[in-house]
């Protein structure tokens, strides 16, 4: 039995992802389904953004140096690609994988 004030609060998984020409570091992130996810995207080189389509997450496109935070709840299990939507950057390998474990 749970009483008021006892409810479980999902842990916040915090990550810093750096974007440069033409990669993300780190290129893999892993969380559990139900986690709240907070990603600080730091553009350290060039003109980039950070996008995860399935979670409707996107930073603005910015010229380095810039920083933006996105937050969402990982409510779908699976592997999701994050990428830079500027020009051909995604095709040039500027992408990574968010894995959400069941």
């Amino acid at each position: 039995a749970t009483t008021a004030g006892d409810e479980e609060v999902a842990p916040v998984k915090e990550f810093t992802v750096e974007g440069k020409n033409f990669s993300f570091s780190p290129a893999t992130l892993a969380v559990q389904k139900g986690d709240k996810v907070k990603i600080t995207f730091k553009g350290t080189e060039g003109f980039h953004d950070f996008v995860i389509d399935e979670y409707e997450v996107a930073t603005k496109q910015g010229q380095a140096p810039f920083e933006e935070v996105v937050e969402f709840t990982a409510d779908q299990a699976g592997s999701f690609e994050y990428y830079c939507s500027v020009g051909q950057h995604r095709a040039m390998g500027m992408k990574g994988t968010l894995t959400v474990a069941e």
Side-chain angles (χ1 to χ4, degrees):
T2 58
T3 55
D6 251 6
E7 69 184 80
E8 249 185 79
V9 176
V12 176
K13 297 290 179 71
E14 295 193 41
F15 301 97
T16 298
V17 176
E18 292 188 1
K20 58 184 194 287
N21 299 334
F22 291 95
S23 63
F24 286 118
S25 177
T28 57
L29 302 176
V31 301
Q32 296 291 315
K33 186 175 178 185
D35 286 350
K36 292 190 181 319
V37 181
K38 178 178 178 181
I39 296 171
T40 301
F41 174 63
K42 291 186 174 182
T44 59
E45 177 184 54
F47 184 80
H48 305 295
D49 64 359
F50 178 92
V51 180
I52 306 173
D53 289 335
E54 293 84 354
Y55 283 106
E56 297 179 6
V57 166
T59 66
K60 67 181 186 292
Q61 295 184 347
Q63 181 66 42
F66 90 100
E67 186 173 306
E68 188 171 337
V69 174
V70 293
E71 296 184 64
F72 60 96
T73 298
D75 57 3
Q76 314 167 64
S79 290
F80 307 97
E81 187 171 82
Y82 52 90
Y83 65 93
C84 176
S85 71
V86 175
Q88 296 296 310
H89 295 189
R90 186 181 193 177
M92 295 164 79
M94 195 164 177
K95 58 193 176 195
T97 304
L98 167 69
T99 302
V100 181
E102 195 65 67

